[in-house]
Amino acid sequence: MPFVAAVLLFAVNVFYGSVDIPAADVVDILLGGEPQRESWRMILLQSRLPQAVVALLCGMALSAAGLMLQTLFNNPLAGPEVFGINSGAGLGVAVVMLLMQGSVTAGDMTIGGYLALLGGAFVGALLIIAVILLFSMVLRGNVFLLIAGMALSYLASSVISLLNYFATAEGVHSYLIWGMGNFGGVSLGQLPLFALLLVVALFASLLMMKPLNALLLGRAYAENLGVGVKRVRGLLLLLTGFLTAVVTAYCGPISFIGLAVPHVARLMLGTNNHRLLLPSTLFTGGCVALLCNFICQLPGGGAVVPLGAVTPLIGAPVIIYVVLRGRGRFS
């Protein structure tokens, strides 16, 4: 079901947008034909199609990261944004963007510029993950671990604010635009590298289904099954950090998808078996991201709404429901 919905939403994102293009012309362009207006070809091939692919992959990546964190820490409220991993990646991007005096912008960025952003985001995400892992060994309650993650997020935000204060006007403007979140920041030329990075990481995540199921049974039982818990934990954290860093570097901070989508998938399936849950979570995340991207385009309105203003509208109600349903289990 999520797979079919993802295919339909992908088609909707390609056929509909802020500029009205007849469906027959969309099909002609996709088949290599000549449209009535040449501008329609550019809109479709340079904007809509890459944007739909990016939204699909980002939704899958963030959802996979959220599910792996929730299983790893046995915490239903775990997610890249709650634990501050998004903020850590954002801090890494801020260091690269703002310390380079705004020379790295979303409009004209070289492969080297994107690799610098990706490296900064990955280092920032890994730093937050390392601290969270340290806290998880000391703090024995889910609530305290969540509070620690939120504190790290605020700390990263404070450092970002200081960097903005001392940066140039151009750098602040570039970072402000990036911080709104946008699936349209990846051009057709940059798409192959972006897709390759996420597809490889998502494939690696699918290989972790068996260890994730073992972790559900507890550390001792997992070790009895021959699972190296420390090694698995390290791999899961690296995958989580990498997925979050790639999405954040290219598309800006995107909230609630990684936190909410795994719960939606659980409600649909009624199981915690990752052999079913992880693939379902991937495609559900893709659906949510494609839906958010479609809403952002406001078909027929000629405007684009910031992604950061749309994702909470879908994710926040899910989290409120999870909290109300599981009250008393988070202490």
Side-chain angles (χ1 to χ4, degrees):
M1 183 64 180
F3 174 78
V4 175
V7 172
L8 292 176
L9 283 169
F10 188 92
V12 168
N13 275 262
V14 172
F15 277 84
Y16 298 97
S18 56
V19 177
D20 186 21
I21 302 177
D25 285 278
V26 172
V27 174
D28 285 342
I29 294 171
L30 294 176
L31 295 178
E34 293 295 329
Q36 297 181 35
R37 301 179 186 175
E38 189 60 30
S39 60
W40 290 349
R41 182 194 303 276
M42 293 186 61
I43 291 173
L44 186 63
L45 299 182
Q46 299 292 330
S47 178
R48 286 190 190 176
L49 192 58
Q51 210 163 325
V53 174
V54 170
L56 178 65
L57 290 175
C58 285
M60 287 182 165
L62 293 174
S63 302
L67 178 60
M68 288 188 290
L69 284 173
Q70 289 170 13
T71 301
L72 178 62
F73 290 103
N74 190 27
N75 192 327
L77 295 181
E81 53 279 285
V82 175
F83 278 161
I85 300 174
N86 276 359
S87 297
L91 176 58
V93 171
V95 169
V96 174
M97 263 194 186
L98 301 178
L99 293 186
M100 292 178 70
Q101 303 298 319
S103 60
V104 178
T105 61
D108 55 341
M109 190 180 295
T110 63
I111 293 296
Y114 264 122
L115 289 178
L117 283 187
L118 178 59
F122 188 50
V123 171
L126 283 184
L127 286 175
I128 296 295
I129 286 175
V131 176
I132 288 295
L133 183 58
L134 179 62
F135 283 160
S136 70
M137 298 176 182
V138 178
L139 302 175
R140 295 302 179 185
N142 287 339
V143 172
F144 293 112
L145 194 58
L146 291 172
I147 293 174
M150 293 173 63
L152 289 172
S153 180
Y154 282 120
L155 179 61
S157 298
S158 297
V159 176
I160 292 172
S161 297
L162 289 174
L163 289 173
N164 273 290
Y165 181 79
F166 292 106
T168 63
E170 183 184 356
V172 172
H173 177 73
S174 298
Y175 190 80
L176 179 63
I177 297 300
W178 171 87
M180 292 181 179
N182 181 21
F183 289 134
V186 184
S187 69
L188 192 62
Q190 297 152 355
L191 185 59
L193 175 61
F194 173 81
L196 177 64
L197 292 172
L198 285 188
V199 168
V200 170
L202 287 171
F203 179 75
S205 300
L206 290 173
L207 296 179
M208 302 300 292
M209 288 188 290
K210 183 176 180 180
L212 285 169
N213 278 338
L215 289 177
L216 289 175
L217 304 173
R219 181 188 180 110
Y221 196 89
E223 289 178 343
N224 287 335
L225 292 176
V227 176
V229 175
K230 289 185 178 180
R231 180 180 60 85
V232 168
R233 182 167 59 182
L235 288 174
L236 289 174
L237 290 174
L238 282 174
L239 278 173
T240 300
F242 185 77
L243 289 168
T244 305
V246 172
V247 173
T248 304
Y250 276 89
C251 304
I254 301 174
S255 60
F256 282 103
I257 291 182
L259 180 60
V261 169
H263 295 291
V264 175
R266 287 191 190 96
L267 290 174
M268 290 191 303
L269 292 179
T271 180
N272 283 320
N273 184 351
H274 286 80
R275 294 186 184 277
L276 299 174
L277 182 58
L278 184 53
S280 178
T281 298
L282 294 182
F283 286 107
T284 303
C287 289
V288 171
L290 287 167
L291 177 61
C292 290
N293 185 62
F294 177 71
I295 295 173
C296 286
Q297 300 308 309
L298 289 176
V304 177
V305 178
L307 184 62
V310 176
T311 52
L313 297 177
I314 297 176
V318 175
I319 300 308
I320 293 173
Y321 172 77
V322 170
V323 171
L324 293 176
R325 188 185 185 196
R327 61 187 182 276
R329 295 195 293 117
F330 302 128
S331 59

